Amino acid sequence: MSSKDILKEFMLTSAPSGYESEMAYKLKKHLEAYCEEVTIDRAGNVIAKVPGKNPSLPRAMVFGHMDQLGFIVRKVEEDGYIQVDRLGGIPEKVLPGLALVIRGEDGTWHPGVFGPKAHHATPAEEKYKVDLVTSLFIDVGATSAEEVHAMGIYVGCPVVYKPAFQELCGTRVSGTAVDNRGACTALVEMARQFKEEPPNCDVYLVGTVWEEFNLRGAMLAARTVQPDLAISLDVTLAGDTKDLSTKFEDKMGQGPCVHLYSFHGRGTLNGTLAHEPMFRLAKRTAQELGKPLQRFASVGILTDSAYIQLEGKGVACLEMGFPARYTHTPVEVCDVRDIDDLATVCVGMMRRVDENFQVNRY
């Protein structure tokens, strides 16, 4: 399968935080085509081991999260309408009129919609107002709470955008959960390339859970792997749209990115400062492979690496990714070429880790 085909399969698989099982088993199956040892830990992380040529070298973990943001059912009204709260960073201004799917307690997905107030009945002062998610209702077509419960939908059930995938011009695609199924696709491509030529060091390719919820699932995987160095794969905010062109330099189709600074100051005082030896390794690898490498830095973003770096005696972490547009909406956009190049650069880095690699920051 091509990377585009794998990305499509992953994007069309619903996997909200805490309910990643469908995605986990699909990723596991793809990794098993190239890796002999693939397991799922107690938390649900998918861990594939790729033995290196020299097991005495520093151990590496390359990971991307499998989960996506969504909602949690908070209340089922007597008339069958459903109230929800956010599960992750939901942009409320895109919600009214959206198609959704709700996971019943038996694992079945049911369609629903965020029904906006009829346009003809909306007063002028409300037409430009953003509705809070807690003021919206999901309509599944039921006329009573009993009908909703008969579908297996109760308080606590997860909800996500209706899965979607659409090809745009060239190698660009749009749809749900590009963040972060693009990274999961890169993990599979890395496994394929390692099958052709193994890395120097032992590498663990990991699909992590809970990133959109609390960023702690990857910590449990790290305690199993016990890496010395790690690369977090995630999206970066493409700076080639009209609204972000004055804020960021990275562009879709111009190659993978190194995320050199991330910080989340809204209640979570954590972030990642790039490990310089890892950054130097990324730059050298990209140059030797003839691949572009963009730079990205921002406030307001946090990835799993912020917590991975604190495990054990400290893990040498580097955040890398691919540019994506319209993040956290149902119409995220990326370029599949960037995902393939991201995988190739990461593979090249793992083939260049040697006895001289500096795990310490300085």
Side-chain angles (χ1 to χ4, degrees):
M1 294 178 69
S2 68
S3 291
K4 183 184 288 186
D5 291 333
I6 295 172
L7 179 61
K8 178 180 180 179
E9 179 185 350
F10 288 170
M11 287 172 59
L12 293 178
T13 302
S14 297
S17 297
Y19 299 88
E20 299 94 345
S21 59
E22 293 177 46
M23 180 61 207
Y25 285 112
K26 287 184 179 181
L27 178 59
K28 181 175 184 286
K29 182 178 179 181
H30 279 282
L31 292 173
E32 284 175 335
Y34 308 107
C35 305
E36 293 184 3
E37 183 180 332
V38 186
T39 59
I40 298 179
D41 69 10
R42 289 182 179 179
N45 298 298
V46 178
I47 304 174
K49 180 180 180 180
V50 181
K53 298 176 182 178
N54 184 355
S56 67
L57 292 175
R59 183 179 301 174
M61 175 171 152
V62 184
F63 60 97
H65 68 87
M66 301 182 293
D67 62 313
Q68 66 195 95
L69 49 81
F71 313 86
I72 290 291
V73 173
R74 174 167 46 80
K75 187 177 189 297
V76 178
E77 299 283 352
E78 287 301 317
D79 56 6
Y81 290 100
I82 299 169
Q83 295 188 40
V84 294
D85 267 316
R86 66 175 66 235
L87 176 59
I90 293 291
E92 289 170 307
K93 63 183 179 179
V94 307
L95 300 184
L98 279 188
L100 309 160
V101 289
I102 307 176
R103 186 181 186 273
E105 290 188 351
D106 64 353
T108 302
W109 291 95
H110 301 277
V113 296
F114 271 129
K117 182 181 289 187
H119 179 74
H120 296 88
T122 304
E125 64 271 17
E126 291 186 19
K127 287 184 177 178
Y128 304 101
K129 180 174 69 72
V130 175
D131 295 309
L132 299 177
V133 65
T134 50
S135 69
L136 298 175
F137 295 87
I138 295 177
D139 185 351
V140 294
T143 59
S144 67
E146 288 75 17
E147 282 190 69
V148 175
H149 293 155
M151 298 165 69
I153 299 172
Y154 294 87
V155 169
C157 286
V159 185
V160 294
Y161 303 141
K162 180 182 178 181
F165 177 91
Q166 181 172 309
E167 294 191 33
L168 303 178
C169 280
T171 52
R172 296 181 174 187
V173 302
S174 175
T176 49
V178 164
D179 173 12
N180 195 22
R181 305 298 160 68
C184 295
T185 303
L187 292 175
V188 176
E189 174 59 18
M190 288 184 68
R192 186 193 68 78
Q193 293 189 33
F194 282 142
K195 186 70 173 179
E196 298 174 353
E197 181 187 343
N200 282 349
C201 60
D202 287 350
V203 177
Y204 291 79
L205 304 174
V206 181
T208 64
V209 297
W210 308 347
E211 195 270 354
E212 298 290 1
F213 173 55
N214 65 8
L215 298 121
R216 304 302 201 278
M219 293 170 57
L220 301 178
R223 290 170 189 175
T224 296
V225 173
Q226 298 182 1
D228 301 295
L229 55 95
I231 301 175
S232 171
L233 304 182
D234 212 324
V235 298
T236 59
L237 307 182
D240 53 6
T241 56
K242 294 295 185 181
D243 54 337
L244 295 181
S245 60
T246 61
K247 296 182 181 296
F248 305 117
E249 294 184 3
D250 61 317
K251 297 177 175 61
M252 270 185 6
Q254 299 296 312
C257 296
V258 174
H259 197 166
L260 293 167
Y261 172 79
S262 64
F263 179 71
H264 198 287
R266 295 173 292 186
T268 306
L269 293 177
N270 203 349
T272 304
L273 295 165
H275 184 274
E276 271 202 301
M278 289 282 285
F279 178 41
R280 288 195 293 268
L281 177 62
K283 288 193 294 183
R284 176 167 67 90
T285 300
Q287 183 178 24
E288 291 176 355
L289 293 176
K291 296 292 184 181
L293 188 64
Q294 304 186 83
R295 291 166 173 80
F296 180 78
S298 81
V299 173
I301 295 177
L302 204 61
T303 76
D304 284 326
S305 64
Y307 294 94
I308 292 290
Q309 67 186 344
L310 306 177
E311 288 295 310
K313 296 180 180 179
V315 180
C317 283
L318 186 66
E319 296 174 320
M320 299 184 68
F322 58 98
R325 297 174 181 169
Y326 324 124
T327 54
H328 285 204
T329 76
V331 292
E332 295 176 336
V333 175
C334 73
D335 193 316
V336 180
R337 291 177 301 174
D338 294 332
I339 294 172
D340 283 336
D341 284 347
L342 173 63
T344 297
V345 172
C346 288
V347 165
M349 291 171 67
M350 298 299 97
R351 290 176 180 160
R352 285 166 173 77
V353 173
D354 56 23
E355 294 83 355
N356 298 316
F357 180 78
Q358 183 179 323
V359 175
N360 291 347
R361 187 171 283 267
Y362 52 83

